[in-house]
Amino acid sequence: MQPFDHCYGSKSQNRSVTCGRIIVRVILGLASALTTMNTPAIETVHARFTKLDSAGNIWRKVAASEPWLCVLDNKTGLVWEIKSHAAGLRAARHTYTGYATASVARCATPSCDAPGYIAAVNATRLCGAHDWRLPTREELRSLVDYTRPYPGPTIDTDFFPNTVANFYWSATPDASDTHSAWGLGFAYGFDYSYPRENAAYLRLVRGGTTLTGIRFGMDEDSTVRDRHTGLIWQRCSVGQRWNGGTCADNAHTMSLVQARDHAQQHAPWRLPTLTELSNTVDLTRHSPAVNPTLFPNTALRSYWTATPLASNAQLQWCVNFMYGDSYADEAIASAYVRLVRDATPDNYSISNSKRD
């Protein structure tokens, strides 16, 4: 099977090649050593997981023949399926189409499609539950460890063994293409949209932390607060100004060094990590893939993040707001900037703030 996650790219870029059946941008060349750059911010995956047994209880190692079957993420409340090295229903190397169709995939069920697999796993009451489902794109991203270089897998293999360094389906549809859905590859950590009739891997999830209400709300006229994380975002891109009703003027593009320098000059504002910036994407929209009321006049191009590509520190992750995908670009390239700052204990809640 053709690997899906072996390209750098974004479907909204001009220079592209076919990777599987996905059009992705090719990063041309490498930048020279950037000795003047500050130490980049790096996302890390902390020891936050709990192994669960077949009944959904904390796993106790009794024998090698009785491995854990699920993992609880104590940070998000999500419970994840563990894939099996052995043959059978949950074999790690099985593939599935995104929806019921004439199958090009290989699995242990009569129909190798995502809905059929979900039904089959729920029928077994894996870890004592029958509400297993596909994760959203950002739920799936929560498992990615962006400090692990290619060929990965970019995940904590002490808790998630048998992970294939390739593309996994999510439940998030592509707003620009009804025949495609988003997913994420565990060779580099790229997200992209893929035609649903094609074969890819699955990892099911259930549960999650219950967060009521709307996620993003107006903090002040010129800022937006993420209620889930407490992060405070500038509504306007760097170069724009809030005129009381919208983000006026044109956003500025800059190199990564310039973006870091600008952020340092405006501390405590900073560049967001890839995960943080991806959380502002609205995948129910495209062109731009962002809520235009919260973030007006967002550029239909790429924004820098603070996350380097683990395989090459001279490449940096960006988020493209035309479609909401991410890709890695040279640090000397030009991209836009939206700054974020951390919440303080006395301003975390937005329960009394304006909401949109």
Side-chain angles (χ1 to χ4, degrees), residues 95-101 103 105 107 109-119 202:
T95 57
Y96 308 83
T97 56
Y99 51 32
T101 184
S103 186
C107 71
T109 60
S111 299
C112 296
D113 58 81
Y117 180 69
I118 294 169
L202 289 180

Side-chain angles (χ1 to χ4, degrees), residues 65-341:
S65 60
E66 299 179 12
W68 65 98
L69 299 185
C70 303
V71 166
L72 167 66
D73 184 335
N74 301 302
K75 179 179 178 180
T76 64
L78 296 170
V79 178
W80 293 91
E81 169 198 15
I82 295 302
K83 309 303 290 190
S84 172
H85 177 71
L89 176 63
R90 296 183 297 103
R93 291 284 173 177
H94 289 171
T95 57
Y96 308 83
T97 56
Y99 51 32
T101 184
S103 186
V104 296
R106 293 176 295 179
C107 71
T109 60
S111 299
C112 296
D113 58 81
Y117 180 69
I118 294 169
V121 171
N122 279 325
T124 69
R125 298 188 66 87
L126 175 65
C127 294
H130 56 83
D131 56 351
W132 294 96
R133 58 178 173 83
L134 280 181
T136 66
R137 191 188 76 172
E138 294 310 301
E139 286 174 337
L140 194 58
R141 190 194 305 280
S142 72
L143 295 182
V144 177
D145 182 349
Y146 282 104
T147 69
R148 296 182 184 240
Y150 174 85
T154 53
I155 196 170
D156 189 335
T157 53
D158 289 337
F159 288 88
F160 299 92
N162 308 315
T163 298
V164 181
N166 220 312
F167 181 85
Y168 283 70
W169 288 117
S170 85
T172 305
D174 184 344
S176 67
D177 181 358
T178 58
H179 299 291
S180 298
W182 289 96
L184 195 141
F186 284 86
Y188 292 97
F190 283 104
D191 59 70
Y192 46 84
S193 174
Y194 199 58
R196 295 179 195 245
E197 69 267 19
N198 291 338
Y201 297 93
L202 289 180
R203 186 188 300 280
L204 302 186
V205 71
R206 61 176 298 270
T209 302
T210 301
L211 295 168
T212 60
I214 298 172
R215 174 164 188 169
F216 293 97
M218 309 297 194
D219 188 54
E220 298 174 352
D221 284 344
S222 61
T223 60
V224 166
R225 189 186 302 262
D226 184 338
R227 185 171 179 266
H228 291 189
T229 64
L231 293 175
I232 300 171
W233 292 90
Q234 291 187 354
R235 298 181 71 183
C236 299
S237 307
V238 171
Q240 296 175 322
R241 60 181 175 84
W242 181 255
N243 67 6
T246 191
C247 293
D249 302 328
N250 294 322
H252 295 166
T253 59
M254 55 187 71
S255 70
L256 179 61
V257 171
Q258 292 171 326
R260 285 179 176 155
D261 288 345
H262 180 87
Q264 283 189 340
Q265 293 167 13
H266 293 80
W269 296 101
R270 59 175 175 80
L271 289 178
T273 67
L274 173 57
T275 296
E276 289 170 344
L277 191 57
S278 294
N279 281 334
T280 68
V281 171
D282 183 348
L283 290 175
T284 67
R285 311 169 189 258
H286 66 91
S287 308
V290 71
N291 185 323
T293 302
L294 295 173
F295 302 102
N297 294 332
T298 295
L300 300 182
R301 284 183 56 195
S302 300
Y303 283 68
W304 287 118
T305 79
T307 306
L309 184 71
S311 302
N312 189 328
Q314 297 173 27
L315 298 176
Q316 195 81 359
W317 285 98
C318 298
V319 173
N320 192 301
F321 280 92
M322 179 172 284
Y323 295 104
D325 53 325
S326 62
Y327 73 103
D329 207 349
E330 298 168 344
I332 59 174
S334 293
Y336 295 96
V337 176
R338 189 188 307 282
L339 298 181
V340 68
R341 65 180 173 87

